[in-house]
Amino acid sequence: MISKQACPKCRCVLNLDEMIVLIMQRGSARTLIGLHSDPGNYNYTVPPGTNITEGDAWDFYCPMCKGALQASECNDRLCRLELINQNGEPQQALFSRVAGEKATFIVTSNKVQQKFGPHATRFDPHLIHMKYIRY
């Protein structure tokens, strides 16, 4: 199983217990979010009073370097995190930035290794060949 997730820009580990802490923004609304660290588990935590409407696209940023996590070279609806696992193979997690869209992909430099979520098939025709993902 994957042990840690990190920012692909600054390589800072973003795990806090079972959650990945990120900044999310839509228009002028900006807040922290805790996403569950297990791929396919779509539980999340946001501060009280945060309104998340299903179907809204949010931008995600690293809380350390403030780098954007969008994976626009694959699909503008996906974000990316680096995975730090036991075998040392470079992997990334791609996840939907659209509220309520449950789609997560674990990828290596040459293929999608695993797909999670009932909406993952929405992306199959849109994922470009993984060789174009920067490692």
Side-chain angles (χ1 to χ4, degrees):
M1 172 129 302
I2 298 158
S3 58
K4 298 175 190 168
Q5 291 86 3
C7 173
K9 300 201 177 3
C10 72
R11 308 269 194 273
C12 181
V13 173
L14 302 172
N15 296 74
L16 182 61
D17 291 327
E18 292 183 347
M19 302 303 273
I20 304 162
V21 178
L22 303 174
I23 296 170
M24 62 186 266
Q25 182 172 340
R26 178 171 167 77
S28 63
R30 186 175 177 102
T31 189
L32 290 174
I33 185 169
L35 301 174
H36 200 282
S37 61
D38 288 337
N41 184 332
Y42 296 98
N43 292 328
Y44 64 90
T45 302
V46 293
T50 302
N51 294 318
I52 298 177
T53 303
E54 197 163 310
D56 285 350
W58 288 80
D59 295 321
F60 289 87
Y61 301 91
C62 171
M64 299 305 289
C65 73
K66 309 296 189 267
L69 300 176
Q70 279 66 17
S72 55
E73 67 278 2
C74 294
N75 186 299
D76 63 359
R77 288 185 5 232
L78 295 175
C79 288
R80 163 197 338 279
L81 292 172
E82 262 190 21
L83 302 179
I84 302 168
N85 57 34
Q86 302 303 325
N87 65 13
E89 179 185 18
Q91 293 182 321
Q92 294 187 13
L94 301 176
F95 63 95
S96 176
R97 66 188 196 93
V98 177
E101 187 168 63
K102 297 176 179 177
T104 305
F105 306 90
I106 305 301
V107 300
T108 61
S109 60
N110 62 359
K111 68 179 179 176
V112 174
Q113 293 230 321
Q114 294 177 290
K115 294 186 269 187
F116 300 91
H119 305 130
T121 56
R122 293 179 183 176
F123 289 86
D124 288 351
H126 306 292
L127 285 174
I128 65 168
H129 193 278
M130 292 299 119
K131 71 179 181 180
Y132 297 110
I133 295 178
R134 286 176 262 139
Y135 280 89

